[in-house]
Amino acid sequence: MSSPDQAAQRSLQQTLQWYSRFQRHGRYRPSPELQAAVRPQLQTLQAALTKLEQNAIRIAAFGLVSRGKSAVLNALVGEQTLITSPINGETKYPQSVRWQVGDGAQIELIDTPGLDEIAGQARAQMAQDVAQQADLILFIVAGDMTRTEYEALRDLRHAQKPLILVFNKIDLYPELDQGLIYQQLQRWAGSGAEDRALQALLSPAEVVRVAAAPAPVLVRSQWPDGRIQETWETPPPDIEPLRVKILELLQREGRSLLALNALVQARTATETLVRKTIELRGTEAEAMIWQYARWKALIVGLNPIVVLDVVGGAIADLALIRSLAKLYGLPMTSFAAEKLWRKILFSSGTLLLSEWGSTVVLGAGKTASLGELSLWGTWTTTALLQGGLAAYGTCVVGKVAQQYLEQGCTWGEGGINTTIQTILNQVDRQTVLARLRQDLQHS
């Protein structure tokens, strides 16, 4: 059995191999508009694969202003790399620093501006962009948790990443232990689905107490001659609990975490890419569906044999699906094919029932002798009814084909969604990823 990161790499390579050449296919000329529209998604797919191949893990720190985000990351790195200041808002934009842990993994720590010092829309976009790139999120608080912090934490849950709640400055709040901090979190929680999901993701085990930059303490020294000297000394950072927590999580779930995050980013990019492709080919697709609907209506309307109506209608539907797939340049995966076969069988069954029903209701079918003038009107009415139903069925199949071509691109053998499902099925129930299972499956 391959490891999660190996399975994810194969899935991304397969996806890139297809979409790097899908913009030119068959008799359709390459569309400059389509190429420009999907270029960012192709770049995202390539970036996800590169990140996975390099075993690069990103950890992003969020929090309100003056909670010590930069100090926490500096303490983890062991150097004063990121700027810290008693002045609020020293970090103006996301910054990153490398954290060497000695096991070959490339860990990038990302520092972000305070969530309460950026304008609303810009803040939300910045948080979303950084959180989507991250594999693990540190949310840093100090003192009593506020409603603003709780709402920001709840919003970050949508990134579908493991969260660690870091309570900084414990030297100033020594009375608060993990239990009390977790009670503060629960105090703001309501009864909605968002609150329940956050409570399920964050347990007391994900609460860590640190003092990244302890305040200086007054030390009194007495000399042999009786003199007493007072000096201010700064204790070393108390960061080990967080360091141990991060490394334990990465050792236990790191490969699955990295693989799933790369796949989720790639899934979003693929879905956007496919949606844009279908939108930009929309006019041509509509014309094609109506053309096949007319052909099928003629085949069914003029043919006097019921069985041939059903067979001919199914063949027309299959030809439409194949033509749509060629028009879009999208893969027809086993997932999409199975779903579409069910729709075609349903459409054919409806057609068969309509033929039987029209024969019974109208008292005669298209198999009646055309030499009898009295039956001509019945034959014409039956043919129009069945032709109209056949055309409608083709329109339905065409619309459903568009939907399943879009969905099927991430399913099937080696598909992104299929690989995500496989990895999640292998995740231990006691892990943080197990608590994210439902979100990752249905996002």
Side-chain angles (χ1 to χ4, degrees), residues 1-241:
M1 183 181 298
S2 60
S3 64
D5 50 341
Q6 291 173 336
Q9 284 186 44
R10 285 196 299 271
S11 178
L12 292 177
Q13 287 166 351
Q14 173 181 292
T15 304
L16 266 173
Q17 183 179 10
W18 178 264
Y19 290 113
S20 62
R21 56 183 172 82
F22 93 106
Q23 298 168 75
R24 178 167 189 147
H25 51 278
R27 62 185 176 87
Y28 299 100
R29 295 180 179 179
S31 166
E33 184 182 8
L34 176 59
Q35 290 175 331
V38 303
R39 189 174 296 115
Q41 283 69 47
L42 291 173
Q43 292 172 345
T44 299
L45 285 168
Q46 183 59 62
L49 178 59
T50 301
K51 180 175 179 291
L52 196 56
E53 291 173 339
Q54 294 177 348
N55 193 28
I57 298 171
R58 293 192 178 104
I59 301 175
F62 291 93
L64 303 190
V65 70
S66 297
R67 298 310 192 259
K69 299 182 297 296
S70 302
V72 167
L73 300 186
N74 281 337
L76 284 172
V77 174
E79 299 178 5
Q80 295 298 309
T81 303
L82 300 169
I83 300 174
T84 60
S85 170
I87 301 175
N88 292 348
E90 187 63 36
T91 303
K92 301 298 183 183
Y93 50 86
Q95 305 175 65
S96 65
V97 60
R98 293 286 182 180
W99 181 25
Q100 302 294 334
V101 295
D103 63 352
Q106 298 185 43
I107 300 180
E108 180 183 359
L109 303 177
I110 304 174
D111 190 17
T112 63
L115 292 174
D116 53 342
E117 61 178 327
I118 309 176
Q121 187 60 39
R123 176 185 67 217
Q125 189 60 52
M126 180 276 295
Q128 180 181 354
D129 292 343
V130 175
Q132 288 300 327
Q133 297 175 19
D135 301 296
L136 172 65
I137 292 174
L138 308 180
F139 194 84
I140 299 171
V141 298
D144 290 337
M145 179 175 286
T146 66
R147 165 60 71 178
T148 301
E149 285 176 312
Y150 179 79
E151 290 176 351
L153 183 59
R154 191 174 58 180
D155 290 342
L156 284 171
R157 191 198 66 81
H158 292 293
Q160 301 162 353
K161 308 294 172 68
L163 283 164
I164 296 178
L165 181 62
V166 182
F167 189 93
N168 191 25
K169 304 183 181 182
I170 59 170
D171 54 313
L172 302 181
Y173 308 95
E175 72 284 355
L176 287 177
D177 59 16
Q178 275 89 342
L180 290 174
I181 296 169
Y182 193 68
Q183 288 177 16
Q184 287 185 359
L185 182 68
Q186 291 177 310
R187 186 179 64 200
W188 293 113
S191 57
E194 294 281 347
D195 300 285
R196 290 194 300 270
L198 180 59
Q199 296 301 310
L201 178 60
L202 268 176
S203 72
E206 278 74 54
V207 178
V208 180
R209 301 168 71 247
V210 301
V217 295
L218 184 63
V219 178
R220 300 183 64 183
S221 303
Q222 185 171 357
W223 294 85
D225 60 4
R227 287 184 299 112
I228 295 177
Q229 182 179 5
E230 293 183 343
T231 57
W232 291 93
E233 295 184 4
T234 302
D238 183 4
I239 202 68
E240 191 62 16

